[in-house]
Amino acid sequence: MSAIHIPHELIEPETLTGRDLTQDIRFDTLGTRQTLVPSEPFGWELRGRVPGFGLVLKGEGDLPEWVLATVERLCDLLWLNADWDSYGASPVDRLTVELALDLLFAIMQKTSPLPSVVPTSCGGVQLEWHTAGIDLEIEIEPAGSIDVFFCDQQTNREWEGSLGSDYSAITDAINSLTERNARAPLE
Amino acid sequence: MPERSYVNDPNIRNEAALWRRIAPCHLVRDDNLGELRPTSAAFTNSSDGSPMSILIADIVQDTGRDPSDLLKPFPGYSLASITAGLARDQNQVVLRDTFGDDPTEPAHGYVAGHKTKAVKRALSRNATWIVPPKNTL
């Protein structure tokens, strides 16, 4: 494997307050693949390795319920080889995973339900939720475009479109999903 | 390479079943439907711009093969089915591979057309399992 220049960012402790989840990501050239685990002293710290670089996420307060499984799943996608779908699909793009993480930390609440995370054939990532009468799909492509589909069976509201820098529409969708999921009776 | 024209084949009936392999990473739990189903991302055109590949079930069966035979080279995969009529309702055309893109597979065909998210969702939500996934999520 040829040498890769990995940008480094100094991680500062982040403050988690409700939806105000922010992150800095520092990339190190680590050794063999590691499992993501929570650790001190910042409140929570996740470390893992994806092809060619390492991933470190840190935050204060309690680890949001959705973070560990979702970050693990996103990192798992980066290990897929070309043609992972048997129809010539491209490997998942690292920058797309970064964008997916940025987006999730911008829109998710601490108790938001876990998304399904799937790769797309051109190397992108799709985040999707199908619960509480809501269908939400967010497709992030390697070029950075974000396409969204939303359907609420209870209100009969449905919309589809491309997302710019304003995440308010999907933030509202996640808020609805989170509130309704919290009210759903336990089975 | 000259641009191709993908023309609907009327000899493929609307009732005809079209099969598509589903990779393990393309399964999602849909609590609204109460089932494990393919993601909409599984019903898309190829990354090189060519249309969505499918297998025409009638031809597979005419060649004496079982659906599970199709997945032997693809361990862990499942097989989903949509109808040609469903695809056409979504403004897609359905045709056999007359270009020789897969000369080893006589049942190879295409569902061609622009696939919006709504189109991909319609195909995924109405797909049925021919060879269902072995493990639940």
Side-chain angles (χ1 to χ4, degrees):
Chain A
M1 186 166 65
S2 58
I4 303 172
H5 174 66
I6 309 298
H8 286 71
E9 294 178 30
L10 184 63
I11 295 180
E12 298 293 337
E14 303 291 346
T15 300
L16 298 177
T17 55
R19 279 193 298 115
D20 294 328
L21 301 176
T22 60
Q23 60 161 351
D24 279 333
I25 298 177
R26 182 181 71 184
F27 298 92
D28 291 308
T29 50
L30 299 178
T32 57
R33 182 177 182 179
Q34 299 172 0
T35 304
L36 297 174
V37 293
S39 68
E40 298 294 339
F42 293 100
W44 56 269
E45 178 180 312
L46 303 183
R47 291 179 173 270
R49 193 177 85 98
V50 293
F53 65 96
L55 175 66
V56 180
L57 298 174
K58 294 185 180 182
E60 291 186 353
D62 296 330
L63 181 70
E65 297 170 11
W66 56 269
V67 170
L68 183 60
T70 304
V71 174
E72 282 185 337
R73 178 66 178 148
L74 281 165
C75 290
D76 283 346
L77 296 187
L78 291 170
W79 294 93
L80 292 172
N81 294 319
D83 195 31
W84 49 262
D85 69 343
S86 78
Y87 292 113
S90 301
V92 174
D93 176 70
R94 173 171 71 88
L95 295 178
T96 307
V97 169
E98 289 183 40
L99 182 53
L101 284 169
D102 284 342
L103 185 144
L104 284 167
F105 278 101
I107 65 173
M108 295 282 277
Q109 298 183 29
K110 280 186 179 179
T111 56
S112 293
L114 209 63
S116 294
V117 181
V118 300
T120 69
S121 67
C122 57
V125 169
Q126 180 158 293
L127 310 168
E128 45 188 295
W129 295 258
H130 307 285
T131 188
I134 289 175
D135 293 292
L136 174 62
E137 296 184 9
I138 303 173
E139 182 178 351
I140 305 163
E141 291 303 338
S145 63
I146 302 175
D147 293 319
V148 183
F149 176 91
F150 173 81
C151 175
D152 185 338
Q153 296 167 20
Q154 291 187 13
T155 63
N156 289 322
R157 186 166 168 249
E158 180 175 314
W159 56 266
E160 174 181 350
S162 296
L163 202 66
S165 56
D166 181 2
Y167 290 169
S168 57
I170 51 173
T171 301
D172 289 343
I174 289 292
N175 287 346
S176 297
L177 196 62
T178 305
E179 290 166 15
R180 203 177 293 175
N181 196 61
R183 290 199 307 265
L186 295 173
E187 293 184 1
Chain B
M1 181 175 153
E3 195 165 313
R4 284 182 180 176
S5 175
Y6 296 101
V7 180
N8 189 59
D9 183 350
N11 294 313
I12 300 174
R13 301 167 296 117
N14 282 340
E15 299 77 23
L18 311 175
W19 293 345
R20 180 140 170 104
R21 292 188 298 272
I22 305 297
C25 58
H26 265 177
L27 301 173
V28 293
R29 170 68 59 188
D30 189 326
D31 291 332
N32 293 327
L33 295 177
E35 63 186 33
L36 190 65
R37 65 166 175 82
T39 171
S40 61
F43 294 90
T44 185
N45 296 333
S46 294
S47 58
D48 64 359
S50 57
M52 185 176 91
S53 284
I54 48 88
L55 296 170
I56 302 169
D58 289 341
I59 300 175
V60 172
Q61 289 157 351
D62 286 347
T63 56
R65 286 177 291 170
D66 191 78
S68 58
D69 293 334
L70 302 175
L71 297 183
K72 282 178 182 168
F74 306 99
Y77 279 61
S78 40
L79 195 68
S81 179
I82 60 173
T83 63
L86 170 67
R88 289 167 176 149
D89 286 344
Q90 298 300 319
N91 297 317
Q92 308 293 299
V93 298
V94 180
L95 64 156
R96 293 184 67 167
D97 173 11
T98 55
F99 310 100
D101 291 337
D102 189 350
T104 64
E105 179 50 79
H108 184 229
Y110 290 117
V111 172
H114 179 54
K115 292 174 179 62
T116 62
K117 288 199 67 62
V119 168
K120 290 186 275 189
R121 269 184 52 80
L123 299 179
S124 71
R125 285 172 63 90
N126 290 284
T128 56
W129 291 118
I130 300 299
V131 180
K134 288 187 170 57
N135 299 313
T136 56
L137 292 178

